[in-house]
């Protein structure tokens, strides 16, 4: 009886898990298959039927050449904004996390508390205030209006702080001081090399957040040539006759083309997902100290 | 050993027992700390504190710059679009948070009771759509919800939906946004919850089994209470983020042929005030409303749970 | 000139806690100096002040005659071995050992030569290209030693360097560290809470408690002539048996609980201070190895033995000896922090209500649990302490 119950509950678990697997995966698969078909195929054929490479090339050609390679321009913009923001965020947050964890100065606890607060608060809450601020200094429409707010990444500071305070013992830094390091040497030669896993982690989170950010560039960058991908996607969406039949035929963007644009938008994050998973696991510190 | 002689030779020079400073560097106190945090501090002021302060100033003044007290808050609060926007987001949050508690916890518990290898594969699959957060996820779901092309078209047909317009009727939006949020965000929370479950010592589970608890009893009476603070953490963060809804109604609105109000969510309303009405003071007032909600959530998390180490 | 001299060195933390109080100490050239005491006694703080890792509140620290109070650690010409080794996890064994030389801009070839010499001394040559994470506990400990000795510093500081090793390795490394120190002849301060290390390794030992140095002398002197209750109880394993007792008229009898023990006149003549405690409370101390079971072949036979009785609670046969746990009706005395690592009291001694004691006897002794035995001790080996101040009654 007991055994029967166990088998039954296990089977039930797997059925539920597989159902959710379908829920999570089918949209991704459909998206990957869509560019191989024509818009007509998508409507009238089995949704999981295979398409042809010819359709893919056609749709890709249409999409990439659309409005003088707008998609590539958006991709480039996305990359500049994301990585610009990450670079400054790393330069500032790693030393800050170290400073908060391992140095003493007046206001340290306050800074830590404020960091915690702004970290938990959704970044979106500051978008309009940021716009108002940028507007006041006439920075709206410039890439810096997006890059600089991106570079303020309190979560990264918190991650670095937790890493340094929990995984880098004070004695390790004391040893370096005795070995002849000044404060900057201690950071550069000991603390910074140890931070490699945390740099990967901060990069990962900042990248996902920056790349997918919609609201901030949406308000900051009114000009199509400055759009990052998510705003570009919206632009396409509003232009395509697939969702706006009124647009009829003027724009050659149909569902397969839209799917390609979506894939281009998500691919970098997907790649970073796969890439980051490995580097996060590295136990660089294992065995450094016995605790 | 090696340098005993050389040290002997050098000592006569340093034997002067004096207070005069030699070449040795004095230790500096505190300065290094400021140097390390200075970059971040500047960013915090410029892009955290200043915009918030500026929004607050704007929210309490009129366009001419003179102080108006709570006028902007009252005026925006009385606006006919204000309450519906918060109502919309409220409905969405109810569904989204409910599904987080029930489905995310349920899935995490199931994953925790099966073989680790298999569960790792499931977790990865569930987590994967997280890569399509934001605009991409909305676009994907516009396809999914369009009965003409959706792989779920049979399912949508059961409800009698014939075209996209019928699926994305305004009344359906809270549920639709919850589904999108779940699709893109639940995986991350499943991973977090699973991690929390994994931190429960195995002995505890075994002890419960020896005490006669079955799988469901163990889950409800042992595992859930032990990860309670993570559930609270998840709910508060999801709530805070959910109040800020913007991209979803914006994009779905784009595809709805004007059926969906451009001020569906509070953030959209603030945006509308700023960009359509050019009323930055009203926009700032709603931003401050949302800021206060975010701050309250943060305060609850920081002070009420012991999740964040600050020492 | 002494390589290290501490003059009234004091550490008060911002919260008002005084970790070290007016610590005076001179470490001679080549001397192996041990700071021992329970945790929280200030020994590590004292060492970290010498290293420059902890600010000195008041007092003067001199290294080779130069005042070092405000000099940064890197300019003090000291090397330190940390309890958790503090090896740089991202550097190889060789890089770890050579790091200090690199920071001094020593030419590369010379660094290589010195690192090689050091690894040879420590038997680490095979592992020179491995990272700390790939080493065993004992090997890491050696790397930490190597990092210190390659510097050829004026002073070695070692902060419980052996406490993370397992028991067997600890015994082995104990001898090795002592041997290396003798060979290098560098003044060394060594912090430990382990009284065995204190007894065996050092030239001199400073026993600390609650920020104060209670006694500083050669280990054997401290063992034979503890100045107070705490030192008496702390040094030696098993600890000295300390009982509440009362001296009779003329200090010729001792009342141990309900038992009356006759003291021969030699006791009073050797310790005239006892006279002041006639008809008064004292604390009497007996080292476990001074006790024997009367009537057994192994008991010491001299003219004036004294005897008392007890019940055997437990017999631990260790092979080379037997530990007999017995109980009497005399109250046992414990100085706080003497036996456990957690206590941090400031009073000289507090009395607990346990009448247990330990005798360390020859393995031939036949005993049964529950047996009533007569224990004998040579009165010359009795220690007496003032129950109020905790000071030894020697003079």
């Amino acid at each position: 009886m007991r055994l029967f119950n166990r088998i039954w509950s296990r089977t039930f678990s797997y059925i539920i898990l597989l159902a959710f697997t379908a829920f999570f995966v089918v949209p991704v698969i459909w998206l990957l298959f869509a560019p191989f078909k024509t818009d007509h195929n998508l409507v009238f054929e089995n949704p999981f039927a295979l398409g042809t490479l010819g359709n893919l090339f056609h749709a890709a050609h249409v999409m990439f050449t659309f409005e003088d390679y707008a998609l590539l321009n958006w991709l480039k913009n996305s990359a500049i904004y994301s990585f610009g923001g990450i670079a400054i965020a790393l330069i500032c947050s790693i030393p800050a996390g170290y400073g908060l964890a391992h140095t003493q100065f007046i206001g340290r606890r306050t800074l830590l508390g404020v960091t915690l607060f702004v970290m938990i608060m959704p970044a979106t809450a500051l978008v309009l205030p940021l716009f108002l601020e940028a507007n006041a200094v006439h920075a709206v429409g410039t890439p810096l209006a997006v890059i600089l707010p991106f570079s303020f990444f309190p979560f990264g500071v918190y991650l670095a702080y937790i890493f340094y305070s929990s995984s880098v013992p004070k004695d390790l830094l004391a040893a370096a001081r005795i070995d002849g390091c000044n404060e900057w040497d201690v950071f550069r030669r000991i603390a910074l090399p140890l931070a490699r896993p945390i740099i990967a982690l901060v990069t990962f989170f900042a990248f996902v957040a920056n790349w997918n950010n919609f609201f901030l560039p949406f308000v900051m960058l009114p000009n199509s040539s400055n759009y990052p991908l998510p705003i570009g996607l919206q632009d396409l969406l509003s232009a395509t006759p697939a969702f706006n039949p009124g647009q009829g035929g003027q724009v050659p963007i149909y569902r397969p083309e839209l799917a390609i644009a979506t894939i281009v938008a998500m691919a970098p994050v997907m790649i970073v997902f796969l890439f980051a998973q490995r580097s996060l696991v590295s136990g660089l510190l294992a065995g450094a100290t016995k605790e | 050993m090696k340098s005993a002689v050389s040290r002997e030779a050098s000592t006569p020079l340093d034997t002067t027992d004096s207070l005069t400073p030699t070449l040795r560097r004095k230790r500096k106190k505190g300065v290094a700390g400021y140097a390390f945090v200075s970059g971040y501090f500047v960013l915090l002021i410029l892009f955290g504190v200043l915009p918030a302060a500026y929004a607050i100033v704007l929210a309490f003044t009129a366009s001419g710059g003179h102080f108006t007290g709570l006028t902007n808050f009252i005026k925006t609060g009385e606006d006919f679009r204000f309450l519906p926007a918060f109502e919309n987001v409220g409905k969405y949050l109810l569904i989204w948070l409910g599904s987080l508690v029930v489905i995310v916890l349920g899935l995490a518990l199931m994953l925790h009771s099966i073989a680790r290898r298999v569960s790792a594969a499931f977790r990865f699959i569930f987590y994967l759509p997280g890569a399509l957060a934001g605009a991409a996820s909305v676009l994907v779901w516009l396809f999914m919800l369009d009965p003409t092309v959706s792989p779920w078209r049979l399912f949508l047909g059961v409800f009698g939906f014939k075209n996209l317009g019928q699926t994305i009727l305004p009344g359906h939006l809270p549920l639709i946004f919850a589904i999108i949020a779940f699709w893109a965000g639940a995986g991350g929370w499943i991973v977090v919850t699973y991690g929390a479950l994994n931190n429960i010592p195995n002995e505890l589970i075994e002890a419960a089994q020896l005490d006669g608890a079955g799988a469901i009893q163990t889950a409800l009476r042992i595992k859930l209470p032990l990860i309670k603070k993570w559930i609270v953490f998840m709910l508060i963060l999801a709530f805070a983020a959910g109040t800020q809804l913007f991209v979803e109604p914006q994009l779905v609105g784009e595809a709805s042929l004007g059926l969906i109000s451009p001020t569906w969510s509070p953030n959209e309303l603030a945006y509308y005030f700023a960009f359509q009405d050019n009323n930055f003071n009203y926009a700032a007032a709603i931003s401050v409303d949302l800021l206060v909600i975010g701050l309250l959530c943060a305060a609850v998390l920081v002070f009420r749970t012991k999740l964040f180490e600050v020492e | 000139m002494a390589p290290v001299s501490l003059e009234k060195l004091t550490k008060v933390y911002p919260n008002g806690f005084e970790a070290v109080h007016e610590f005076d100490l001179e470490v001679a050239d080549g001397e192996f100096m041990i700071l021992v005491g329970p945790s929280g006694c200030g020994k590590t703080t004292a060492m970290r002040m010498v290293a420059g890792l902890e600010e000195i509140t008041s007092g003067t620290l001199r290294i080779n005659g130069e005042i070092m109070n405000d000099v940064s650690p890197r300019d003090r010409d000291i090397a330190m071995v940390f309890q958790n080794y503090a090896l740089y996890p991202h550097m190889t064994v060789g890089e770890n050992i050579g790091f200090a030389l690199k920071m001094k801009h020593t030419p590369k070839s010379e660094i290589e030569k010195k690192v090689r010499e050091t690894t040879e001394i420590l038997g680490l040559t095979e592992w020179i290209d491995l990272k700390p994470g790939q080493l065993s506990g004992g090997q890491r400990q050696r790397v930490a030693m190597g990092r210190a000795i390659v510097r050829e510093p004026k002073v070695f500081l070692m902060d419980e360097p052996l406490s993370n090793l397992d028991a067997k390795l600890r015994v082995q490394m104990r001898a090795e560290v002592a041997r290396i120190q003798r060979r290098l002849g560098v003044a060394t301060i060594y912090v430990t809470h382990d009284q065995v290390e204190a007894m065996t390794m050092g030239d001199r030992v400073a026993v600390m408690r609650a920020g104060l140095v209670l006694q500083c002398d050669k280990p054997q002197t401290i063992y034979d002539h503890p100045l107070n209750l705490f030192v008496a109880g702390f040094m030696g394993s098993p600890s000295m048996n300390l009982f509440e007792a009362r001296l009779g008229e003329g200090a010729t009898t001792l009342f141990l609980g309900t038992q009356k023990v006759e003291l021969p006149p030699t006791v009073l003549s050797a310790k005239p201070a006892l006279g002041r405690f006639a008809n008064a409370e004292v604390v009497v101390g007996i080292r476990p190895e001074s006790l024997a079971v009367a009537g057994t072949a192994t008991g010491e036979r001299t003219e004036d033995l004294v005897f008392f009785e007890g019940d055997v609670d437990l017999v631990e046969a260790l092979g080379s000896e037997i530990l007999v746990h017995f109980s009497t009706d005399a109250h046992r005395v414990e100085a706080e922090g003497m036996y456990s690592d957690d206590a941090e009291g400031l009073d000289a001694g507090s009395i607990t209500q346990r009448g247990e004691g330990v005798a360390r006897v020859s393995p031939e002794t036949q005993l049964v649990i529950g047996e009533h035995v007569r224990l004998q001790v040579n009165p010359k080996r009795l220690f007496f302490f003032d129950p109020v101040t905790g000071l030894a009654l020697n003079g």
Side-chain angles (χ1 to χ4, degrees):
Chain A
M1 190 60 205
R2 242 211 130 130
L3 186 70
F4 176 79
N5 271 341
R6 254 179 79 172
I7 292 171
W8 195 87
S9 76
R10 182 125 318 175
T11 314
F12 177 74
S13 289
Y14 275 103
I15 290 171
I16 300 274
L17 288 171
L18 288 172
F20 274 96
T21 303
F23 169 74
F24 283 112
V25 166
V26 164
V28 181
I29 294 177
W30 184 91
L31 180 70
L32 295 177
F33 277 25
F36 291 90
K37 303 175 201 176
T38 62
D39 200 62
H40 185 267
N41 292 152
L42 283 173
V43 177
F44 293 103
E45 278 182 11
N46 174 352
F48 296 106
L50 291 172
T52 66
L53 272 177
N55 289 337
L56 174 71
F57 291 141
H58 172 76
H61 180 76
V62 171
M63 188 61 249
F64 279 100
T65 54
F66 172 68
E67 279 185 1
D68 200 13
Y69 299 95
L71 186 67
L72 290 179
N73 187 40
W74 296 334
L75 186 66
K76 185 195 77 189
N77 289 339
S78 266
I80 291 173
Y81 303 153
S82 296
F83 287 107
I86 291 170
I88 305 177
L90 282 176
I91 290 170
C92 293
S93 61
I94 301 295
Y98 171 77
L100 287 168
H102 286 297
T103 62
Q104 290 297 329
F105 55 92
I106 300 162
R108 191 184 68 93
R109 287 191 62 101
T110 315
L111 187 60
L112 209 48
V114 172
T115 300
L116 210 52
F117 258 83
V118 280
M119 173 188 105
I120 295 168
M121 245 175 47
T124 332
L126 277 174
V127 166
L128 275 174
L130 277 168
F131 166 78
L132 300 172
E133 185 187 49
N135 191 47
V137 297
H138 307 292
V140 172
T142 65
L144 280 182
V146 173
I147 293 176
L148 289 178
F150 275 176
S151 65
F152 170 55
F153 193 55
F155 182 51
V157 175
Y158 185 72
L159 282 178
Y161 163 75
I162 290 295
F163 169 76
Y164 278 121
S165 58
S166 65
S167 304
V168 176
K170 286 229 185 292
D171 275 353
L172 196 66
L173 308 174
R177 287 188 188 107
I178 289 178
D179 273 350
C181 290
N182 61 29
E183 290 308 308
W184 169 245
D185 283 330
V186 174
F187 176 70
R188 198 182 69 80
R189 292 177 184 274
I190 309 298
L192 192 58
L194 290 178
R196 239 181 277 167
I198 214 68
I199 289 172
L201 204 59
V202 174
T203 305
F204 169 73
F205 284 115
F207 179 73
V208 174
N210 293 353
W211 190 267
N212 286 330
N213 197 321
F214 180 87
F215 197 13
L216 184 77
F218 183 72
V219 299
M220 290 291 195
L221 305 170
N223 193 337
S224 162
S225 66
N226 281 341
Y227 283 174
L229 273 167
I231 321 293
L233 284 186
Q234 193 210 15
D235 207 38
L236 289 178
L237 183 61
S238 65
T240 174
F243 290 110
N244 293 287
Q247 296 286 349
Q250 290 138 358
V251 176
I253 303 299
Y254 294 90
R255 294 185 188 93
E257 287 80 14
L258 216 45
I260 286 182
T262 312
I263 292 170
V264 169
M266 72 146 196
V269 181
M270 201 66 103
I271 291 166
V272 170
F273 257 47
L274 300 169
F275 173 77
Q277 280 224 322
R278 254 193 239 152
S279 74
L280 306 184
V281 195
S282 78
L284 185 63
L285 249 126
T289 57
K290 201 171 177 272
E291 254 169 334
Chain B
M1 157 186 76
K2 289 156 251 167
S3 76
V5 178
S6 67
R7 199 178 312 125
E8 211 88 310
S10 70
T11 35
L13 294 171
D14 329 329
T15 42
T16 39
D17 183 358
S18 69
L19 280 160
T20 49
T22 55
L23 284 170
R24 301 177 188 282
R25 284 147 288 200
K26 276 209 157 192
R27 122 179 65 205
K28 286 169 270 172
K29 281 171 274 178
V31 186
Y34 291 117
F36 285 124
V37 299
S38 57
Y40 165 66
F41 183 73
V42 170
L43 293 179
L44 172 66
I45 295 299
L46 286 183
F47 306 111
V49 176
L50 261 186
Y54 186 52
I56 291 169
V57 170
L58 283 179
F60 284 98
T61 52
S63 56
H66 56 275
F67 183 75
T68 56
L70 291 173
T71 314
N72 293 327
F73 292 96
I74 295 165
K75 280 272 159 61
T76 50
E78 284 169 349
D79 190 281
F80 68 97
R81 292 159 294 201
F82 184 85
L83 267 187
F86 277 90
E87 228 171 82
N88 288 336
V89 165
K91 283 184 203 152
Y92 153 74
L93 282 174
L94 215 62
I95 304 171
W96 165 221
L97 298 189
S99 70
L100 268 185
V101 171
V102 177
I103 305 178
V104 165
L105 280 182
L107 289 177
L109 285 169
M110 280 180 197
L111 288 175
H112 192 238
S113 64
I114 64 175
R116 185 165 291 218
R117 267 227 147 109
V118 185
S119 97
F122 276 121
R123 272 177 286 142
F124 183 70
I125 289 168
F126 293 177
Y127 186 48
L128 212 56
L132 286 98
S137 69
V138 181
L139 224 73
V140 169
W141 276 90
L142 281 175
F143 290 131
M144 294 302 116
L145 294 170
D146 184 346
T148 56
V149 297
S150 171
W152 312 106
R153 59 183 77 158
L154 286 176
F155 190 70
L156 292 168
V158 172
F159 292 95
F161 301 140
K162 294 275 185 313
N163 56 49
L164 186 63
Q166 289 177 343
T167 346
I168 60 171
L169 283 177
H172 299 165
L173 290 186
L175 176 65
I176 287 172
F177 295 153
I179 291 174
I180 298 178
F182 188 87
W183 184 72
W189 287 119
I190 290 172
V191 170
V192 169
T193 315
Y194 179 87
L197 285 171
N198 241 2
N199 276 341
I200 300 174
N202 226 352
E203 288 93 26
L204 218 56
I205 309 290
E206 286 165 349
Q209 280 164 356
L210 289 177
D211 284 344
I216 292 171
Q217 294 280 353
T218 312
L220 290 181
R221 291 174 192 274
I222 310 291
K223 293 179 180 176
L224 276 190
L226 285 171
I227 60 163
K228 206 174 74 190
K229 63 175 184 177
W230 287 106
I231 302 172
V232 174
F233 171 72
M234 170 171 85
L235 286 180
I236 294 178
L237 276 198
F239 176 82
T243 54
Q244 309 291 333
L245 208 60
F246 182 82
V247 58
E248 292 86 351
Q250 193 71 19
L251 286 194
V252 174
E254 204 72 63
S256 76
L257 302 171
L259 266 176
I260 296 164
S261 150
T263 59
W264 195 87
S265 78
N267 252 330
E268 281 187 293
L269 180 59
Y271 175 82
Y272 189 87
F273 277 130
F275 290 90
Q276 303 297 317
D277 293 357
N278 270 323
N279 192 333
F280 288 171
N281 304 91
Y282 280 10
I286 294 181
S287 290
V288 170
D289 291 338
L290 292 171
L291 216 54
V292 168
I293 295 174
L295 277 175
L296 284 177
C297 291
V300 171
L301 267 191
V302 174
F303 298 121
R304 282 290 162 154
T305 68
K306 297 255 180 304
L307 279 170
F308 298 100
E309 322 172 20
V310 187
E311 218 63 64
Chain C
M1 175 135 319
V4 188
S5 119
L6 285 64
E7 210 180 299
K8 292 198 178 352
L9 219 55
T10 299
K11 175 71 193 183
V12 183
Y13 282 104
N15 64 8
F17 176 67
E18 189 176 40
V20 178
H21 178 75
E22 302 197 345
F23 193 170
D24 288 313
L25 188 72
E26 294 248 314
V27 185
D29 228 347
E31 189 177 24
F32 200 129
M33 181 78 207
I34 296 209
L35 308 185
V36 70
S39 70
C41 72
K43 56 191 191 298
T44 297
T45 309
M47 167 176 283
R48 291 177 74 92
M49 283 196 282
V50 175
L53 300 172
E54 204 75 73
E55 247 176 275
I56 296 168
T57 309
S58 65
T60 312
L61 166 73
R62 287 187 176 82
I63 295 178
N64 260 27
E66 258 185 285
I67 293 181
M68 287 288 171
N69 286 35
D70 291 321
V71 174
S72 71
R74 62 194 171 123
D75 293 321
R76 291 192 185 196
D77 206 357
I78 45 163
M80 183 157 169
V81 179
F82 290 85
Q83 180 170 11
N84 292 315
Y85 317 140
L87 302 179
Y88 310 122
H90 57 302
M91 299 184 195
T92 64
V93 167
E95 288 166 345
N96 260 286
I97 295 175
F99 184 66
L101 300 177
K102 188 172 158 191
M103 295 308 295
K104 268 198 270 184
H105 305 292
T106 313
K108 224 173 180 176
S109 58
E110 203 183 326
I111 295 180
E112 252 171 56
K113 187 170 142 264
K114 285 191 172 174
V115 168
R116 207 174 320 112
E117 281 171 13
T118 309
T119 49
E120 272 162 26
I121 293 174
L122 292 164
L124 282 169
T125 317
E126 265 181 75
W127 295 284
I128 196 159
D129 289 323
L130 296 187
K131 294 205 172 154
Q134 298 162 285
L135 302 179
S136 71
Q139 289 163 344
R140 281 181 216 166
Q141 212 282 331
R142 277 163 209 265
V143 178
M145 287 289 296
R147 197 169 61 174
I149 64 181
V150 77
R151 308 255 314 263
E152 303 171 16
K154 290 201 188 82
V155 186
F156 276 144
L157 304 176
M158 304 191 190
D159 185 5
E160 310 221 13
L162 305 183
S163 64
N164 276 329
L165 299 177
D166 63 54
K168 209 164 186 177
L169 205 52
R170 188 153 56 219
V171 174
Q172 187 194 329
M173 285 306 290
R174 202 159 69 201
E176 195 165 329
V177 170
R179 192 161 54 236
I180 291 170
Q181 195 273 341
R182 304 260 182 272
R183 179 168 163 191
L184 301 179
V186 175
T188 300
I189 300 179
Y190 184 105
V191 160
T192 180
H193 65 268
D194 179 350
Q195 53 87 28
V196 179
E197 285 175 22
M199 283 300 296
T200 55
M201 297 176 82
D203 295 319
R204 276 196 301 153
V205 176
V207 184
M208 293 185 69
R209 179 171 177 245
L212 295 168
V213 178
L214 300 180
Q215 189 170 5
C216 180
D217 217 320
K218 294 196 175 70
Q220 196 61 44
T221 312
I222 290 181
Y223 190 81
D224 292 338
H225 306 285
L227 286 181
N228 58 45
L229 260 180
F230 178 82
V231 176
F234 189 81
M235 298 297 275
S237 174
S239 296
M240 183 187 282
N241 299 300
L242 295 164
F243 296 111
E244 249 186 306
R246 187 181 172 81
L247 282 173
E249 190 64 40
T252 56
T253 49
L254 183 71
F255 294 94
L256 206 55
T258 54
Q259 301 181 45
K260 185 177 175 187
V261 180
E262 296 292 341
L263 295 180
T266 47
V267 173
L268 183 60
S269 58
K271 296 177 168 108
L274 289 180
R276 286 189 285 117
F277 284 81
N279 292 319
E281 302 282 335
V282 291
V283 172
V284 64
I286 312 166
R287 294 241 177 243
E289 63 269 28
S290 305
L291 283 167
V293 179
T296 58
T298 53
E300 195 181 357
R301 283 165 207 280
T302 52
E303 285 311 299
D304 37 54
L305 288 174
V306 299
F307 300 92
F308 65 99
E309 293 172 5
D311 297 311
V312 176
D313 292 332
L314 177 68
V315 178
E316 291 178 296
L318 301 179
S320 62
E321 65 197 28
I322 292 178
L323 295 183
V324 182
H325 294 253
F326 60 90
S327 53
T328 69
D329 59 355
H331 286 154
R332 185 183 164 90
V333 178
E334 278 179 22
E336 266 183 63
M338 202 187 308
Y339 308 110
S340 60
D341 258 2
D342 51 25
E344 221 178 72
L346 289 164
D347 51 336
S350 64
I351 292 166
T352 59
Q353 306 290 309
R354 284 165 35 211
E356 290 138 28
V358 181
R360 183 187 216 158
V361 301
S362 127
E364 282 96 65
T365 318
Q366 300 285 326
L367 288 167
V368 182
I369 290 173
E371 192 177 344
H372 192 72
V373 289
R374 240 164 82 102
L375 295 159
Q376 64 179 45
V377 58
N378 184 331
K380 273 191 283 184
R381 303 199 179 177
L382 291 175
F383 295 87
F384 295 93
F385 302 91
D386 182 329
V388 179
T389 62
L391 292 177
L393 303 173
N394 286 330

